[in-house]
Amino acid sequence: MLLVYAIPIFNSDGLLFDSLEINRLGLSSAIINTVIVSIFSTVLVTIISFNVAKFLHQSINRYTSSFLFFLVVPFFLGNIATAYLFKILLNQYGIIDFVFRSGTLAQMLVLSFVKVWQFGLPFIFIFFVSFQRQDKQRADYIEFVKTNLSRRGKDLYTAPSINLIIILAILTFSFTFYDHMTAHTIFKVSEGAGNELVGNWISRSYNSLLIVTPESALAKVASLSLIIMLCLILLIIAVVTIYKKGLNYSVRKSGRKSFYIP
């Protein structure tokens, strides 16, 4: 499926096949669903993992911290294993039927919390390791000047972790954007239910075009997939730019030039 997303297929003239001939039914709702679940998952994962890691770093002792590497286990289970695990768990308590009746937004929220488990726990470990490698001179200086708790948290944790926060946010957004198997496995998505993600829509379009020829189906779907991928790159650049400018403004406003984010 990654190849279908990323590789453009060319015809004999070296041009992309016309993607306008593809049936666009359900595409708009699929894009909206995908962007919502990707952005919400990114916000939840980064905020929760960063703050939990900060709390653990402030309170945990060195003996129990050695067991935190077990938090990376959810990441290595993969999308399919994670989806089946949550499907069994949610079915056991009848949550899937309730969420399905509650509408598409509720389903997108459930998928976002699945991503918190899949990516948030490993990111807690990554942030914790990053905090363990803090500059001792910086920490001693901040402790010496007796700044307030909010300022101390920003100087000790937020400012030194800006690049890591942005990288993990991009990874979360990208992995969530391209993951359609979780939604398909848990909720049995369909165009009629309006709960498809972009990946589900592309798979459905490809299967419907197979009745012509496999080559034509692959070419048409791949051309539109390339457009979606380019739009995703532009969206990530825009989000990161806005995020960095907001952080830079926050640091400049505090008057602490030494922690200005380049």
Side-chain angles (χ1 to χ4, degrees), residues 15-46:
L15 301 174
L16 284 171
F17 276 86
D18 186 9
S19 61
L20 297 177
E21 298 177 6
I22 297 177
N23 182 4
R24 303 296 185 91
L25 186 64
L27 176 58
S28 59
S29 62
I31 292 177
I32 293 174
N33 293 340
T34 306
V35 171
I36 289 176
V37 72
S38 300
I39 292 177
F40 194 66
S41 298
T42 301
V43 173
L44 279 182
V45 167
T46 52

Side-chain angles (χ1 to χ4, degrees), residues 74 77-87 114 117-118 182 186:
L77 288 180
N79 293 332
I80 297 179
T82 299
Y84 276 106
L85 179 64
F86 274 89
K87 180 178 182 179
V114 172
W117 183 85
Q118 186 178 6
T182 302
I186 296 178

Side-chain angles (χ1 to χ4, degrees), residues 223-244:
S223 62
L224 187 58
S225 300
L226 180 62
I227 297 174
I228 293 174
M229 186 185 69
L230 293 176
C231 292
L232 171 63
I233 293 173
L234 294 176
L235 180 60
I236 289 176
I237 292 174
V239 170
V240 170
T241 302
I242 294 172
Y243 186 70
K244 288 193 69 174

Side-chain angles (χ1 to χ4, degrees), residues 49-50 53-54 57 68 122-136 138-139 155-168:
S49 60
F50 179 82
K54 184 170 69 172
H57 183 256
L68 287 180
F123 290 174
I124 290 173
F125 175 75
I126 294 175
F127 278 123
F128 183 85
V129 172
S130 174
F131 297 156
Q132 291 288 78
R133 304 180 63 182
Q134 285 179 350
D135 185 351
K136 191 176 185 306
R138 177 195 293 254
D155 291 346
L156 274 179
Y157 296 100
T158 307
S161 304
I162 293 301
N163 290 334
L164 182 59
I165 292 173
I166 292 175
I167 290 172
L168 295 183

